[in-house]
Amino acid sequence: FKKFTNTILPKFNEPIEGDHPRMIIPFFNKHGKVFAFQARAYGSEEPKYFTIKLDEDMDKIYGLDRVDYSKRVLIVEGPIDSLFLPNCIAMAGSSTFDSATILQIKTNATVILDNEPRNKEIVKILGKYIKLGFSVVIFPDSVKEKDINDMVKSGMSIDEIVKMINDNTFSGAEAEIRFSNWKKFDVL
């Protein structure tokens, strides 16, 4: 992966040792041109993801080439999760949900973060998007899977997942109440 990346953009200056095969996921702009790629580890290598931007002016958003902004847009953290859901885009990580592109579609978007109520970073980010006025998914306690990919692997159908998303999308005061019950810091 590092050797491949250096042939496109010199990113890794250190001697390339311990390089591992990774799945390369290209990010296309709305015109079908690659502007970034993500390299996902197959095993337990760290970091699990590298995201390489070829165009620094673009937001790290996967799925721009296939999204229909006239319909509700689902926004997830990872590209693999986005492939299972209709009209879904993904951020390369949870910290970039406040990009200009995402803020422009706030009224027609639903943010779906990973189901990690004990992860302080996820809890912080979810709270932020509720305060910004986004519609967000707050998974019920019955859902034990961490993300959409895990839900599919556990045997849930796409229709079941979409119904669960629709049934658990909240905004405003209702999102605040559900959020306070979902986060689990008081259990730690």
Side-chain angles (χ1 to χ4, degrees), residues 2-126:
K2 290 180 180 180
K3 186 176 180 183
F4 164 75
T5 300
N6 280 347
T7 66
I8 298 168
L9 185 71
K11 214 56 164 165
F12 299 100
N13 296 321
E14 77 277 2
I16 298 173
E17 296 176 11
D19 204 2
H20 302 284
R22 289 174 176 264
M23 179 186 338
I24 304 297
I25 304 168
F27 287 45
F28 297 96
N29 66 17
K30 64 182 177 180
H31 305 293
K33 183 179 179 194
V34 175
F35 67 88
F37 61 92
Q38 188 172 81
R40 184 186 192 282
Y42 286 111
S44 59
E45 300 86 13
E46 290 294 330
K48 185 173 184 175
Y49 298 97
F50 279 104
T51 304
I52 308 296
K53 287 176 70 172
L54 306 173
D55 181 345
E56 290 297 326
D57 294 330
M58 293 289 295
D59 293 326
K60 291 190 293 186
I61 302 172
Y62 176 83
L64 294 174
D65 57 320
R66 55 188 172 79
V67 68
D68 180 351
Y69 291 110
S70 69
K71 298 177 182 174
R72 177 175 78 148
V73 178
L74 301 178
I75 307 169
V76 295
E77 289 183 59
I80 293 174
D81 289 339
S82 77
L83 296 174
F84 295 110
L85 299 174
N87 209 41
C88 189
I89 59 178
M91 306 305 294
S94 58
S95 63
T96 52
F97 274 90
D98 57 354
S99 71
T101 303
I102 300 305
L103 290 174
Q104 288 175 11
I105 62 169
K106 175 171 77 171
T107 58
N108 197 31
T110 299
V111 173
I112 307 166
L113 295 180
D114 286 353
N115 184 32
E116 297 182 282
R118 288 183 175 85
N119 179 315
K120 289 183 181 184
E121 188 63 24
I122 295 293
V123 170
K124 176 181 166 187
I125 293 167
L126 187 58

